[in-house]
């Protein structure tokens, strides 16, 4: 048996943990630069606010209906996700983190999976304040379906057994099956496959001709055959760090500040995974949606002298590459970088002639890590990152960093 644990309306739930006044009122969370709705409470969904709705289109509705609106607080959501995951690890011998709000658990050898799931739900809510729904089945695709049904019927926990699947799958539209989606769903509807049950009963060879081996695998998973095993998260081969600017950026020094900040983020991720980068790629772009303005986009790559996780060395190389592709006269929308061809730090080969310098840099980087881990990410930064940072993405409605920023942690008493 496998279980899929999914945090309910995760971003909204994180906001509600620290602000009880948000309970039972419509709440939405916006995307980067407060562009569109990426999370909605059940109350907001009932008002007809759809996923991805541009905020300028629903602004009046939100004002009229008293919808509470928040900018994305990614630091808070990431921290709450780690807290939920730490609780889940206490309940199952093997866990696969599928996304920021979803995890698969291996329940092999557990006699009463439904009882365990109920205990898990109560513990997660008690320890983190985050409500979760759990789907249990013999395959990942069925567990996703069971989870969907658990949310729909309000039970919060649903196990799909072989003799229950037929009626349950008949209630799930083909587009809502994990791995199908809207585009492939249209093709399946043309051959009268309208529900998950229709797909489960279809001919495997016919389905393979339409959607390849992946769709055939989905069919077999809907019939209870586990084709997708538990996966251990593998170290990434590349790491990207980029954000759209809160306003158009025209000046090189603003671009350099932004890129330096993105380098900091990428290097911290890489160091957290114990990796080194062989090379970097820097890119920039104007806003392609503003067709009446001059357009320019470019990228440039470079191999580093040796695999490294040195923040100063990577920042220096990134800024040098940015200056090579930057052009005056354009209103830039974003810049960013890729750390390329990552390898494990344990495989590093030191250079005899730079060993002392490397050791000193490692000590400096380790000290920076400790300061940021203890006092928060913005407690120390490079001068090239700037101070005012007028280019930062717009988050005018961001809530407090309740668990991630020392000066925003609530005081008791």
């Amino acid at each position: 048996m496998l279980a899929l644990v999914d945090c309910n309306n995760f971003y909204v739930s994180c906001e509600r943990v620290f602000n009880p006044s948000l309970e039972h009122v419509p709440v939405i969370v916006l995307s980067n630069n407060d562009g569109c709705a990426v999370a909605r409470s059940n109350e907001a969904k009932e008002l007809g606010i759809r996923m991805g709705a541009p905020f300028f289109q629903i602004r009046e509705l939100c004002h009229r209906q008293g919808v509470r609106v928040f900018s994305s607080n990614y630091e808070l959501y990431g921290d709450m996700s780690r807290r939920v995951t730490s609780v889940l690890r206490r309940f199952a011998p093997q866990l696969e983190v599928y996304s920021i709000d979803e995890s698969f658990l291996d329940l092999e050898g557990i006699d009463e999976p439904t009882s365990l799931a109920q205990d898990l739900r109560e513990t997660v809510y008690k320890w983190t304040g985050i409500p979760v729904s759990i789907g249990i089945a013999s395959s990942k695709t069925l567990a996703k379906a069971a989870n969907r049904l658990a949310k729909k019927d309000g039970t919060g926990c649903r196990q799909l057994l072989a003799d229950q699947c037929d009626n349950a799958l008949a209630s799930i539209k083909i587009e809502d099956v994990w791995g199908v989606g809207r585009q492939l769903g249209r093709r399946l509807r043309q051959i009268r496959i309208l529900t998950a049950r229709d797909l489960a009963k279809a001919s495997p060879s016919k389905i393979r001709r339409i959607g390849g081996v992946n769709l055939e695998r989905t069919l077999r998973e809907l019939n209870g055959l586990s084709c997708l095993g538990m996966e251990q998260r593998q170290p990434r081969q590349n790491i990207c760090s980029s954000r759209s600017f809160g306003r158009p950026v025209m000046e090189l020094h603003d671009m350099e500040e932004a890129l330096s900040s993105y380098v900091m983020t990428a290097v911290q991720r890489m160091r957290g995974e114990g990796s080194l980068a062989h090379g970097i790629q820097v890119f920039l772009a104007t806003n392609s949606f503003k067709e009446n303005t001059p357009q320019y986009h470019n990228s440039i790559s470079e191999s580093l002298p040796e695999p490294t996780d040195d923040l100063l060395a990577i920042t220096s190389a990134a800024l040098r590459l940015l200056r090579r592709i930057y052009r005056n006269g354009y209103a830039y929308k974003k810049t960013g970088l890729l750390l390329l061809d990552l390898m494990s730090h344990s495989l590093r080969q030191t250079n005899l002639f730079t060993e002392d310098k490397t050791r000193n840099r490692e000590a400096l980087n380790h000290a920076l890590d400790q300061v940021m881990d203890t006092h928060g990410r913005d407690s120390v930064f490079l001068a090239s990152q700037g101070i005012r940072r007028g280019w930062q993405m717009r988050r005018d409605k961001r809530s407090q960093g309740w668990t991630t920023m020392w000066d925003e942690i609530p005081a008791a008493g």
Side-chain angles (χ1 to χ4, degrees):
M1 281 290 171
L2 300 171
L4 174 69
V5 181
D6 185 6
C7 301
N8 299 341
N9 306 324
F10 181 56
Y11 289 0
V12 171
S13 294
C14 290
E15 299 290 350
R16 283 175 165 172
V17 169
F18 301 98
N19 189 349
S21 68
L22 300 176
E23 292 289 345
H24 309 301
V25 300
V27 181
I28 64 171
V29 176
L30 302 176
S31 63
N32 292 348
N33 291 309
D34 295 344
C36 57
V38 294
R40 306 156 297 156
S41 68
N42 292 335
E43 296 83 1
K45 294 175 185 177
E46 292 172 359
L47 293 175
I49 298 176
R50 57 183 176 81
M51 176 66 80
F55 183 54
F56 75 89
Q57 293 182 358
I58 61 174
R59 189 191 306 272
E60 179 58 31
L61 171 65
C62 292
H63 177 73
R64 189 171 62 252
Q65 297 291 341
V67 179
R68 301 290 298 275
V69 181
F70 292 88
S71 302
S72 294
N73 191 340
Y74 296 117
E75 298 83 3
L76 174 65
Y77 307 153
D79 182 63
M80 294 301 293
S81 175
R82 288 187 290 273
R83 293 171 185 243
V84 171
T85 301
S86 70
V87 178
L88 300 183
R89 293 189 187 281
R90 297 170 175 262
F91 284 83
Q94 188 175 356
L95 177 145
E96 176 191 335
V97 179
Y98 180 66
S99 67
I100 191 172
D101 61 348
E102 292 179 288
S103 293
F104 286 102
L105 277 65
D106 185 353
L107 302 184
E108 181 180 359
I110 294 176
D111 296 330
E112 298 290 341
T114 303
S115 176
L116 176 80
Q118 293 289 4
D119 187 21
L120 188 154
R121 290 186 69 234
E122 293 172 5
T123 305
V124 170
Y125 187 74
K126 182 178 180 179
W127 290 8
T128 69
I130 301 295
V132 301
S133 295
I134 303 176
I136 305 170
S138 57
S139 70
K140 283 185 172 180
T141 305
L142 277 181
K144 289 279 286 189
N147 187 284
R148 185 180 188 87
L149 295 172
K151 287 184 177 181
K152 189 175 181 179
D153 62 23
T155 60
C157 182
R158 181 78 177 267
Q159 181 175 357
L160 276 184
L161 300 175
D163 58 351
Q164 302 171 334
C165 286
D166 202 52
N167 291 333
L169 295 181
S171 66
I172 300 176
K173 297 178 181 179
I174 188 62
E175 296 86 358
D176 295 332
V177 175
W178 188 41
V180 175
R182 189 173 302 172
Q183 184 174 353
L184 189 53
R186 283 197 296 265
R187 296 175 60 188
L188 292 171
R189 283 185 174 277
Q190 292 174 355
I191 60 171
R192 304 300 299 169
I193 294 180
L194 310 179
T195 67
R197 182 174 66 177
D198 296 336
L199 179 57
K201 292 183 177 298
S203 165
S205 59
K206 183 177 181 180
I207 292 302
R208 184 166 188 165
R209 287 195 297 271
I210 295 174
V213 66
N214 289 332
L215 188 58
E216 181 186 358
R217 188 179 292 126
T218 298
L219 179 153
R220 297 188 185 281
E221 286 247 326
L222 288 174
N223 284 288
L225 178 62
S226 180
C227 302
L228 303 170
M230 297 287 288
E231 298 180 3
Q232 298 297 323
R233 186 175 292 274
Q234 298 297 318
R236 286 177 280 192
Q237 297 299 306
N238 303 304
I239 290 178
C240 179
S241 181
S242 177
R243 282 279 188 273
S244 295
F245 300 136
R247 58 171 176 80
V249 169
M250 303 286 292
E251 303 297 330
L252 175 60
H253 68 84
D254 287 331
M255 299 282 285
E256 290 176 332
E257 287 184 3
L259 183 61
S260 295
S261 294
Y262 302 152
V263 171
M264 172 76 83
T265 299
V267 170
Q268 287 299 112
R269 291 178 190 165
M270 179 174 65
R271 289 178 62 82
E273 296 180 3
S275 299
L276 306 171
H278 277 87
I280 63 172
Q281 180 184 89
V282 173
F283 56 88
L284 49 72
T286 54
N287 190 343
S288 60
F289 292 102
K290 293 188 175 182
E291 299 178 355
N292 59 333
T293 61
Q295 298 293 313
Y296 172 66
H297 59 87
N298 204 348
S299 65
I300 185 171
S301 302
E302 177 179 278
S303 295
L304 298 168
E306 60 181 3
T308 184
D309 61 359
D310 182 359
L311 174 63
L312 299 182
I314 294 174
T315 301
S316 177
L319 294 178
R320 185 176 66 254
L321 293 179
L322 175 66
R323 296 180 191 118
R324 290 174 59 182
I325 61 175
Y326 173 82
R327 299 290 182 269
N328 282 317
Y330 293 96
Y332 292 98
K333 180 65 176 176
K334 68 160 45 178
T335 187
L337 86 156
L338 279 162
L339 300 177
L340 304 172
D341 300 326
L342 304 186
M343 59 172 280
S344 172
H345 192 284
S346 62
L347 301 178
R348 182 178 199 166
Q349 294 182 335
T350 57
N351 187 318
L352 177 63
F353 301 103
T354 61
E355 186 172 350
D356 289 340
K357 179 181 178 181
T358 300
R359 189 182 301 112
N360 291 337
R361 281 294 183 87
E362 285 186 347
L364 173 60
N365 280 281
H366 182 65
L368 292 175
D369 291 341
Q370 286 186 314
V371 172
M372 285 185 280
D373 288 343
T374 303
H375 300 289
R377 180 184 166 191
D378 290 331
S379 58
V380 61
F381 55 89
L382 302 179
S384 60
Q385 293 178 242
I387 297 176
R388 296 182 179 179
R389 304 179 189 178
W391 45 266
Q392 285 187 318
M393 69 176 179
R394 191 167 59 252
R395 292 198 291 178
D396 299 333
K397 305 176 187 300
R398 182 183 70 82
S399 58
Q400 290 181 228
W402 299 100
T403 66
T404 59
M405 299 183 184
W406 281 106
D407 57 346
E408 296 185 8
I409 293 177

